[in-house]
């Protein structure tokens, strides 16, 4: 009997929803939420996180399993695809794309421990090298030997790469990019150095319309004479993000976590082939998660870095510290940050007020609204409830004042008190005419045993998303026994989108009893905002500081191609941040992690940084410098600077473990001129500003772990041309391979001026 594709899909989704309730304990809350949303209709935008491949709707996720071989085979037999880290067939983490109808069945398999939905990650040089003492390392004056990253791999997983950029080509014309990998419709397109050199690489050059990845790679490894990167003679390996339409207006600058873990694994595997040490930079992150190292993304990266010496991952700490001066005057005293510490004493209730500043951005994310991700401490599920309220009094879409809210009767909607002790899902827990909230609870997350809730505030169907800006939203934690403590974070992780407010408690804003029990309001802040996966145990986290530019000027300036000189500290300048010269960047995320580890580990120059501009990318002449370089700012820029210093260190000693590299990076760091923004100063800026000379001095010369000196061409049995392999590792069907090669084939840079690629 023939069943139509649409009928089969509906049936599969129905079965998924039914099975999810029985196997929910083995799926994380977001995976459970995503499965339910897909089955019951897109009340939010969860469907944006899926892809359609070979007739299946696939959800990106991670799987912790005791038998990777069996689990991967089951996923593939169901129509999905799976990647085993290091090819492990025993206990391992699998990066997978799973058919929606198979999600619950996968979680119910006896060897599977947990299925975790892959969160969406968002992105987070001339004189900069002077302030980190990198120039003295490169020219040999610092140690008596010059280091430039020779025979060390510098990798990146990012949005796109202009691999033909002059900054990635040696003086002899040799392309320094050794490896490229991009996934297109579930099929991997790989290129090695020979194909990149002779123009037969099956991945389009020019940066693919993006600029982030090219800029980041230029900071770590560019060799321009003026805007020289930190490791200018290193080997470059790059893996492209493979995001769907899940981001707002900048889909090219986002990636689901599966692409990140797959990319780091691929770069380390290719570094094994050429027998070289490797450091991978990740200038991206997310606020969704417990921030305690227990997510499968964090665990997977930690396992990759711990597998052998000379395998290091550096991650941007994040740009989530709130800058009150960048907000309208009426908000400045009230903006707290995207984090709030939960502290509800026994028998009391605490509310955490959210102001949404950009409803359009919040609603366009793949969760469909503003999300409060709530994590209590272990063992508190029986003592605590969660509730959500919306208020319109005193709220204006563009600005606001606080006339006070007398009681819960003033709310435009309110949920019942929802216990943490029972797993539950409320597709629409409460609503008014324009906005609604869904609340989902997991009484004990399988990864860390913490009670977990997600409250998503979203516009109702057919209503403008700007309505999110016309409400105050309160997330309330009620103690009905012992004290309730923990943390909550907002997603999308950008302070221009929304904040937990501060200055509420004791200022006449607490909410009294009405139809629902009242509560006292507590403050939001920017602590604990180092984003995932910079919070991983095996990942080095880099924050940002702003150096002088030019040297000795006392200011931090650049001159754009429009002939105008701008001050980076000026909030009215293009990309100006309000940071103070010589100090921690105003945006740089703060620690610690939720389990108390110091983050960031170190800070490096992160603004204003001039590095490579992709040929196909557009930026304003106000930030473009010299035609093929431009100015940018963020921990996205400080992270590759730190990764470049790691490459220099590995050139000197490639036997170092991640813990030894972390310790070396802290050596000689200075906190001069730095202002602490956290109770423990190290959770503002780690050990301080990185000093490359002192970092390398702390390690003896030892290159016994790796001896590779050649290029990546043919050692693993592949050709140097257009290699297409599907994501299961088998050779792609010839028609698809031919189509992809023809569609993605690179056109020499000069011909792009004449022929437009559609």
């Amino acid at each position: 009997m023939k069943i139509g594709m649409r009928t089969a899909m509906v049936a599969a989704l129905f079965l998924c929803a039914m099975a999810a309730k029985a196997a929910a304990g083995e799926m994380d809350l977001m995976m459970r939420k995503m499965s339910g949303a897909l089955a019951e209709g897109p009340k939010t935008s969860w469907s944006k996180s899926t892809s359609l491949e070979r007739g299946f709707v696939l959800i990106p996720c991670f799987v912790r399993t005791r038998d990777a071989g069996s689990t991967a085979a089951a996923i593939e037999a169901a129509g999905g695809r799976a990647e085993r880290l290091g090819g492990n067939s025993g206990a391992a983490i699998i990066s997978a794309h799973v058919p929606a109808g198979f999600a619950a069945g996968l979680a119910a398999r006896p060897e599977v421990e947990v299925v975790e939905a892959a969160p969406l990650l968002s992105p987070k040089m001339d004189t900069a090298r002077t302030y980190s003492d990198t120039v003295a390392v490169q020219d040999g004056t610092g140690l008596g030997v010059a280091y430039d990253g020779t025979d060390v791999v510098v990798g990146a997983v990012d949005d796109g790469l202009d691999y033909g950029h002059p900054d990635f080509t040696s003086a002899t014309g040799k392309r320094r990019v050794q490896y490229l990998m991009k996934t297109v419709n579930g099929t991997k397109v790989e290129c090695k150095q020979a194909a990149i050199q002779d123009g037969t690489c099956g991945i389009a050059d020019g940066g693919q319309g993006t600029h982030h990845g090219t800029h980041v790679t230029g900071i770590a490894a560019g060799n321009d004479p003026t805007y020289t990167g930190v490791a200018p003679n290193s080997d470059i390996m790059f893996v492209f993000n493979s995001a769907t339409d899940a981001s707002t207006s900048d889909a090219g600058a986002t990636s689901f976590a599966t692409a990140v873990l797959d990319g780091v694994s691929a770069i380390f595997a290719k570094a094994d082939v050429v027998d070289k040490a490797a450091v991978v930079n990740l200038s991206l992150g997310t606020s969704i998660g417990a921030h305690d190292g227990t997510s499968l993304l964090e665990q997977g990266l930690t396992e990759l870095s711990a597998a052998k010496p000379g395998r290091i991952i550096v991650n941007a700490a994040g740009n989530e510290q709130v800058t009150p001066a960048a907000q309208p005057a009426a908000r400045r005293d009230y903006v707290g940050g995207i984090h709030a510490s939960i502290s509800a004493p026994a028998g009391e209730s605490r509310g955490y007020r959210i102001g949404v500043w950009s409803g359009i951005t919040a609603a366009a994310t793949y969760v469909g609204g503003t999300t409060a991700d709530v994590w209590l401490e272990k063992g508190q599920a029986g003592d605590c409830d969660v509730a959500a309220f919306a208020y319109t009094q005193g709220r204006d879409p563009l600005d606001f004042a606080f006339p006070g809210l007398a009681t819960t009767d003033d709310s435009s909607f309110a949920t019942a008190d929802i216990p943490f002790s029972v797993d539950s899902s409320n597709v629409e827990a409460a609503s008014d005419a324009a906005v609604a909230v869904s609340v989902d609870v997991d009484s004990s997350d399988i990864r860390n045993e913490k009670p977990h809730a997600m409250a998503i505030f979203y516009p109702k169907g057919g209503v403008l998303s700007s309505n999110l800006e016309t409400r105050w939203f309160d997330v309330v934690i009620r103690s009905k026994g012992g004290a309730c403590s923990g943390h909550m974070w907002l997603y999308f992780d950008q302070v221009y989108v929304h904040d937990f407010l501060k200055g509420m408690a004791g200022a006449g804003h607490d909410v009294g009893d009405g139809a629902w029990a009242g509560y006292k309001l507590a403050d939001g802040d920017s602590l604990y905002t180092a984003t995932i996966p910079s919070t991983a145990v095996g990942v080095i986290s880099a924050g940002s500081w702003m150096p002088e530019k030019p040297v000795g000027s006392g200011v931090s300036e650049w001159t754009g191609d429009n002939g105008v000189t701008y001050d980076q500290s000026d909030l009215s300048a293009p990309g100006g941040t309000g940071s103070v010269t010589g100090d921690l960047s105003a945006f740089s995320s703060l620690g610690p992690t939720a389990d108390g580890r110091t983050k960031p580990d170190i800070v490096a120059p992160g603004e204003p940084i001039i590095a490579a501009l992709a040929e196909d990318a557009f930026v304003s002449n106000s930030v473009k410098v010299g035609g093929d370089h431009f100015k940018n700012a963020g921990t996205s820029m400080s992270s590759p600077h730190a990764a470049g210093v790691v490459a220099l260190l590995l050139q000197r000693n490639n036997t170092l473990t991640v813990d030894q590299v972390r310790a070396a990076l802290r050596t000689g760091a200075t906190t001069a001129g730095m202002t602490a923004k956290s109770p423990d100063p190290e959770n503002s800026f780690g050990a301080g500003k990185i000093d490359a000379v002192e970092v390398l001095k702390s390690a003896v010369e030892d290159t016994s772990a790796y001896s590779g000196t050649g290029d990546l061409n043919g050692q693993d049995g592949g050709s140097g041309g257009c290699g297409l392999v599907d994501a299961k590792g088998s050779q792609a069907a010839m028609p698809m391979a031919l189509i992809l090669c023809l569609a993605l084939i690179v056109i020499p840079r000069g011909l792009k001026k004449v022929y437009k690629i559609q």
Side-chain angles (χ1 to χ4, degrees):
M1 173 178 169
K2 258 189 178 176
I3 301 177
M5 177 63 72
R6 185 185 297 266
T7 302
M9 187 59 65
V10 171
L13 291 173
F14 175 79
L15 291 173
C16 171
M18 294 301 99
K21 296 174 182 177
E26 293 173 351
M27 282 194 281
D28 85 309
L29 194 55
M30 189 161 68
M31 190 72 179
R32 201 170 82 202
K33 178 74 174 175
M34 187 180 300
S35 299
L38 287 170
E40 298 172 23
K43 295 290 194 298
T44 64
S45 300
W46 290 108
S47 57
K48 290 185 177 183
S49 66
T50 64
S51 59
L52 182 63
E53 298 176 18
R54 304 179 182 91
F56 292 96
V57 176
L58 302 183
I59 301 175
C61 61
F62 298 111
V63 185
R64 167 71 79 177
T65 174
R66 290 176 285 270
D67 185 346
S70 295
T71 303
I75 293 169
E76 291 165 1
R81 48 189 172 93
E83 292 281 348
R84 287 172 277 166
L85 300 188
N88 194 337
S89 60
I93 293 173
I94 289 177
S95 170
H97 285 69
V98 175
F102 182 60
L106 174 63
R109 289 181 62 84
E111 80 277 7
V112 171
E113 297 177 7
V114 60
V115 181
E116 172 184 297
L120 186 69
L121 307 179
S122 58
K124 305 263 152 267
M125 142 137 139
D126 51 353
T127 54
R129 296 177 301 125
T130 301
Y131 294 102
S132 63
D133 227 0
T134 300
V135 172
V137 173
Q138 293 173 341
D139 65 18
T141 59
L143 294 98
V145 177
Y147 293 93
D148 58 8
T150 297
D151 292 324
V152 175
V153 170
V154 171
V157 182
D158 217 298
D159 58 3
L161 181 68
D162 181 358
Y163 57 84
H165 195 286
D167 286 16
F168 310 137
T169 302
S170 72
T172 62
K174 177 184 175 181
R175 298 286 178 88
R176 292 173 45 229
V177 178
Q178 292 284 329
Y179 175 70
L180 297 169
M181 192 267 277
K182 185 175 185 178
T183 301
V184 181
N185 295 324
T187 298
K188 290 181 179 177
V189 182
E190 296 181 301
C191 296
K192 300 173 190 175
Q193 198 277 332
I196 295 166
Q197 183 71 36
D198 64 22
T200 60
C201 173
I203 299 173
D205 196 4
Q208 304 77 40
T210 67
H211 59 68
H212 190 263
T214 299
H215 195 267
V216 161
T217 305
I219 295 167
N223 60 1
D224 183 82
T226 301
Y227 306 111
T228 310
V230 180
N233 200 41
S234 56
D235 294 328
I236 299 169
M237 296 189 182
F238 190 93
V239 174
F240 292 76
N241 289 346
S242 56
T244 64
D245 182 33
S247 177
T248 55
S249 60
D250 194 10
T254 60
S255 177
F256 285 99
T258 45
V260 173
L261 197 58
D262 291 350
V264 175
S265 179
I267 290 168
F268 282 169
K270 297 305 180 185
D272 284 342
V273 172
V274 291
D275 196 31
K276 296 180 181 182
V279 55
V280 177
N281 178 74
L282 301 175
S283 287
L284 36 75
T286 182
S287 59
I288 290 182
H291 293 65
D292 60 3
T294 61
S295 73
L296 297 191
L297 171 60
E298 292 166 295
Q299 291 182 41
L301 292 173
T302 295
E303 290 178 12
L304 287 172
S305 67
K308 60 173 64 177
R311 295 290 178 261
I312 312 300
I313 303 167
V314 180
N315 202 144
N319 304 329
E320 278 59 69
Q321 183 185 167
V322 71
T323 306
Q327 300 275 356
R331 296 182 195 167
R332 291 174 189 169
D333 293 337
Y334 298 106
V335 288
I338 65 164
H339 167 264
S341 290
I342 299 169
S343 181
E348 297 187 24
S349 299
R350 292 291 181 269
Y352 303 86
R353 179 155 295 171
I354 301 166
V356 178
W357 318 129
S358 177
I360 292 175
T361 305
T365 61
Y366 83 120
V367 293
T370 283
T371 298
D373 196 29
V374 184
W375 296 82
L376 299 181
E377 298 300 333
K378 289 192 293 185
Q380 295 182 351
D383 292 324
C384 309
D385 291 347
V386 61
F389 293 78
Y391 298 91
T392 60
Q393 185 179 347
R395 182 69 164 105
D396 181 89
L398 300 179
D399 219 330
F400 63 85
F402 283 111
L405 296 164
T407 73
T408 58
D409 287 338
D410 292 326
S411 62
S412 63
F413 72 63
T415 70
D417 292 347
I418 301 169
F420 276 96
S421 57
V422 179
D423 289 0
S424 62
S425 178
N426 295 287
V427 175
E428 186 177 291
S431 67
D432 58 26
V435 297
V437 64
S438 67
V439 181
D440 294 80
V441 172
D442 187 343
S443 59
S444 179
D445 187 280
I446 195 169
R447 296 160 297 180
N448 55 21
E449 300 179 7
K450 294 179 179 179
H452 179 204
M454 293 181 72
I456 303 178
F457 301 93
Y458 59 94
K460 296 186 73 171
V463 175
L464 293 176
S465 55
S466 58
N467 276 279
L468 290 170
E469 302 167 26
T470 65
R471 308 285 193 276
W472 299 119
F473 298 110
D474 290 356
V475 177
V476 178
I477 305 297
R478 301 194 192 280
S479 165
K480 57 185 181 182
C484 304
S485 58
H487 304 274
M488 63 175 81
W489 290 269
L490 292 179
Y491 178 84
F492 189 59
D493 46 353
Q494 300 287 340
V495 294
Y496 76 88
V497 178
H498 40 218
D499 287 286
F500 287 114
L501 303 188
K502 68 177 182 180
M504 300 286 99
H509 303 301
D510 294 339
V511 180
D513 291 348
W516 295 271
Y519 47 91
K520 295 181 179 179
L521 289 168
D523 288 348
D525 56 51
S526 290
L527 302 175
Y528 298 89
T529 53
T531 50
I532 298 169
S534 76
T535 49
V537 173
V539 170
I540 294 167
S541 175
S544 170
W545 71 283
M546 187 172 80
E548 289 180 313
K549 188 184 294 286
V551 177
S553 65
V555 295
S556 196
E557 297 178 335
W558 81 95
T559 300
D561 280 358
N562 61 357
V564 178
T565 297
Y566 299 95
D567 184 345
Q568 181 67 15
S569 66
D570 182 358
L571 284 165
S572 66
T577 61
S579 299
V580 175
T581 302
D583 204 349
L584 183 72
S585 293
F587 52 78
S588 191
S589 286
L590 308 175
T593 62
D595 58 329
R597 288 173 288 116
T598 295
K599 292 288 177 177
D601 297 295
I602 200 77
V603 291
E607 58 171 331
I609 304 299
I610 299 171
L613 172 62
E615 184 180 44
D616 291 348
F618 171 80
V619 297
S620 166
N621 281 338
S622 62
V623 295
K624 187 183 291 186
V625 180
D628 55 2
H629 294 83
F630 80 108
K631 187 276 308 187
N632 209 344
T635 57
S636 279
M637 284 63 252
S638 59
S639 183
H641 192 116
V645 173
V646 171
L648 302 179
L649 177 63
L650 293 176
Q651 183 185 357
R652 180 175 175 85
N653 187 322
N654 60 25
T655 71
L656 301 175
T657 65
V658 63
D659 288 338
Q660 291 171 325
V661 169
R662 192 194 317 271
L665 290 175
R666 296 172 62 87
T667 303
T670 177
T671 60
M674 303 288 275
T675 303
K677 305 290 185 66
S678 54
D680 179 351
E682 286 216 1
N683 285 313
S684 294
F685 40 71
K689 305 170 185 175
I690 197 168
D691 185 323
V693 170
E694 296 303 316
V695 169
L696 268 70
K697 279 184 177 178
S698 72
V700 299
E701 292 185 71
D702 185 350
T703 56
S704 60
Y706 302 94
S707 58
T709 59
D711 297 329
L712 179 65
N713 282 311
Q715 297 95 322
D716 57 351
S719 69
C722 180
L724 294 104
V725 179
D726 70 18
K728 299 178 186 179
S730 59
Q731 196 68 30
M734 182 57 67
M736 179 59 72
L738 181 59
I739 291 170
L740 286 172
C741 273
L742 291 174
L744 297 173
I745 195 72
V746 64
I747 296 177
R749 297 174 73 86
L751 294 181
K752 289 184 184 177
K753 313 299 183 190
V754 180
Y755 300 102
K756 182 178 179 181
I757 302 176
Q758 298 296 327

